[in-house]
Amino acid sequence: MKKHIKHHGITVAVVLGVLAIGAGAFVYSGVYNIGADDHHTKPVFALLQTLRERSIQARSADLKVPDLNDPQLILKGAGQYAAMCTQCHLTPAMKDSELRPGLYPQPPNLSQVRVDPKEAFWVIKHGIKMSAMPAWGASHDDPTIWSMVAFLQKLPDMTAAQYKDIVAKAPPDDDMDMDGGDGGHSHTHGDAAQAMPAMAMPDEHSHADAHDHDQGAKGPAAEAPISLEGLRAGAAPGAEAVARRFHEALQRGDREAVLAVLAPDVSIREGSETQTRDAYAGGHLDADIAFLKQAKVTSGAFGSMAMGDTAMVGSETTIAGTAKGKPLTVRSREMLTLRQHDGAWQITAVQWQSAPVEGDSR
């Protein structure tokens, strides 16, 4: 029995040795054509494809996905995509590129297919060996890569005109302009008479934070100012109409109308606090209505941007009223994110920021 097992062991070793020698001879002979224009056989291609897909899935499964509906994240990603990705992955206006036909395997046309966010992040960051996909993580940080992932979720729904519009508004490879200066308003005023105001009940914490920041006090990192850069009046008329209904309902104190335009999963951020729809309905909504009923609202910048089935509408207002028995004038900015479903727009995110106007002597 032992002799029989030993004999089989020797046979296996010899076979493996012959296979190794044969494989080495095959590799060193140069007989295999490594050229990209000579494609793999179907079995080899299927093996490599399965290896690639399983490797990506295994390594991306535990990634935590941020909020990919953040308009500023999507806008930044548009610029990144335009700068780095179009020659391989195309745009809604491109059928092909000079580079793409010579690539093997052929990169997916990302203007036509929707990718899994976790897998897309991993591939963009780490690249794929023996392909034309580079590891962008060597030169770009994670937030920038997530911005590209956010944009990719919207790209398949964009027309060529929408793609061109959003890319024109996004810096190609720089951080977004978040300084909130007047330069960001040059395209947003449009018909100021029709622009409804951004509504935000003054938040004591946000005012205190702003004061501390001015005095150089140390504390939690300040929230980036809402930027209206790239928004244009009339760019997303359906979304703008819903935004106006939201503003009008707040001003006249119509709770049902306010809640009707808020999606069930809406996120509402006022100052340093983020609330759900139910939490807002049970708390700050009444305070906002009460403040606005006795306030004078002056409209400022108002504009929108369409991104497939998503749009963002931003506005700025000056609100003069009374808080806790004292006169108060605040400048408020609002950014609404809206999603279209079955032809109807709903608000999925609300961000409000307000700060007291210097020199208010009322």
Side-chain angles (χ1 to χ4, degrees), residues 10 64 74 80 87 106 110 129-130 210 236 247 282 297 317 334 343:
I10 293 173
K64 293 183 178 180
I74 296 169
Q80 300 292 323
Q87 289 302 303
Q106 188 92 149
L110 295 179
K129 293 175 181 176
M130 299 294 287
H247 298 154
V297 180
T317 56
E334 173 190 82

Side-chain angles (χ1 to χ4, degrees), residues 74-157:
I74 296 169
L75 190 60
K76 180 175 182 177
Q80 300 292 323
Y81 184 86
M84 301 185 295
C85 309
T86 59
Q87 289 302 303
C88 293
H89 298 290
L90 306 181
T91 74
M94 296 173 66
K95 293 183 178 180
D96 216 334
S97 68
E98 186 175 1
L99 175 65
R100 185 179 162 85
L103 296 177
Y104 182 77
Q106 188 92 149
N109 181 349
L110 295 179
S111 70
Q112 296 182 357
V113 297
R114 203 177 307 277
V115 292
D116 177 83
K118 292 182 179 181
E119 294 181 10
F121 175 86
W122 193 92
V123 170
I124 294 170
K125 181 172 182 175
H126 299 286
I128 299 177
K129 293 175 181 176
M130 299 294 287
S131 77
M133 183 64 202
W136 289 112
S139 55
H140 293 71
D141 59 19
D142 284 4
T144 300
I145 294 174
W146 279 120
S147 77
M148 288 187 268
V149 175
F151 176 71
L152 291 179
Q153 305 310 300
K154 306 300 179 185
L155 181 58
D157 298 321

Side-chain angles (χ1 to χ4, degrees), residues 265-325:
D265 59 345
V266 67
S267 170
I268 301 170
R269 184 173 181 83
E270 290 187 271
S272 58
E273 182 180 0
T274 300
Q275 303 174 72
T276 64
R277 184 179 185 275
D278 289 343
Y280 179 64
H284 281 201
L285 174 56
D286 289 336
D288 286 349
I289 288 174
F291 177 71
L292 290 168
K293 275 188 174 180
Q294 49 80 45
K296 177 183 178 182
V297 180
T298 304
S299 301
F302 182 85
S304 63
M305 178 184 294
M307 297 172 286
D309 61 353
T310 300
M312 56 184 184
V313 179
S315 51
E316 182 177 78
T317 56
T318 301
I319 306 174
T322 302
K324 296 184 178 180

Side-chain angles (χ1 to χ4, degrees), residues 157-175:
D157 298 321
M158 289 185 184
T159 65
Q162 288 172 333
Y163 173 83
K164 182 178 180 181
D165 190 44
I166 190 173
V167 169
K169 296 165 183 171
D173 208 0
D174 296 317
D175 290 335

Side-chain angles (χ1 to χ4, degrees), residues 40-96:
H40 295 303
T41 61
K42 289 184 178 180
V44 171
F45 184 84
L47 176 65
L48 293 175
Q49 187 177 39
T50 302
L51 174 67
R52 180 193 68 207
E53 291 175 355
R54 291 298 302 134
S55 177
I56 294 169
Q57 290 169 2
R59 286 160 178 78
S60 64
D62 295 331
L63 290 174
K64 293 183 178 180
V65 181
D67 178 13
L68 299 182
N69 288 316
D70 180 350
Q72 298 297 328
L73 197 67
I74 296 169
L75 190 60
K76 180 175 182 177
Q80 300 292 323
Y81 184 86
M84 301 185 295
C85 309
T86 59
Q87 289 302 303
C88 293
H89 298 290
L90 306 181
T91 74
M94 296 173 66
K95 293 183 178 180
D96 216 334

